[in-house]
Amino acid sequence: MTLKEIRRIKKRGYEAERELVKKLRMHGFRAVRVPVSAPSNESLPDVFATKGDYLVAFEVKAPRAERAYFRRHQVEKLFRFLDMFELYSQKFAVLAAKFPYKWVLKRIDESGDYVIQKKEKSSFKLGKLFKRS
């Protein structure tokens, strides 16, 4: 893979993260993208959001293929991040895949390797779970 291709993939990921933040804010969340320039051992999600007593941590991928792959160490970071915040009674780890023209959000309850397919339906729906304030 060339440096140009790597930059294009990263840019697509950053744009997906920013789009997710906008969607979350439209649903009344306070949301931020966590800009981490390189893989790290810190327990930081790509995006996190709060609303009332809810805290949601997202790992975001923007594949061009029919699948998005989430490795165990990326998923574990979400749970470590959520564990730091005892004040929130509702905490969710969510894998977000931004395919061309479609988002798939998958709530997960345990660490592991995951694959999201473009044809899947979201198991985490902002509009149904959280009403606008």
Side-chain angles (χ1 to χ4, degrees):
M1 194 175 287
T2 68
L3 185 59
K4 187 175 182 179
E5 291 170 324
I6 292 169
R7 285 185 183 140
R8 187 173 60 238
I9 290 169
K10 285 187 176 197
K11 182 180 179 196
R12 196 167 57 238
Y14 300 149
E15 289 171 355
E17 292 167 5
R18 285 191 288 273
E19 184 179 329
L20 179 59
V21 167
K22 285 181 185 177
K23 287 182 176 297
L24 289 162
R25 289 177 178 167
M26 284 174 40
H27 282 86
F29 282 85
R30 292 181 176 177
V32 295
R33 176 181 167 267
V34 180
V36 178
S37 60
S40 78
N41 291 327
E42 293 297 322
S43 300
L44 296 171
D46 292 328
V47 171
F48 75 93
T50 64
K51 183 176 182 181
D53 63 347
Y54 291 93
L55 173 64
V56 188
F58 295 88
E59 180 67 26
V60 181
K61 301 284 183 190
R64 287 195 150 193
E66 298 293 311
R67 299 175 186 82
Y69 297 93
F70 298 85
R71 295 190 178 142
R72 175 182 297 273
H73 72 276
Q74 295 168 319
V75 173
E76 288 172 348
K77 285 183 180 185
L78 296 178
F79 290 106
R80 286 196 308 269
F81 176 81
L82 291 170
D83 285 344
M84 291 190 301
F85 297 92
E86 296 175 5
L87 293 175
Y88 292 92
S89 63
Q90 300 291 318
K91 299 185 277 191
F92 301 106
V94 177
L95 304 179
K98 169 67 169 90
F99 297 100
Y101 309 107
K102 181 181 180 183
W103 279 94
V104 178
L105 303 176
K106 184 175 190 173
R107 180 180 162 191
I108 54 171
D109 296 318
E110 60 186 44
S111 291
D113 292 322
Y114 288 87
V115 178
I116 293 180
Q117 306 228 7
K118 184 178 180 179
K119 62 184 176 184
E120 284 183 52
K121 292 188 178 191
S122 292
S123 65
F124 188 84
K125 296 185 181 184
L126 298 174
K128 288 187 178 183
L129 291 175
F130 309 103
K131 302 294 181 201
R132 286 186 192 205
S133 300

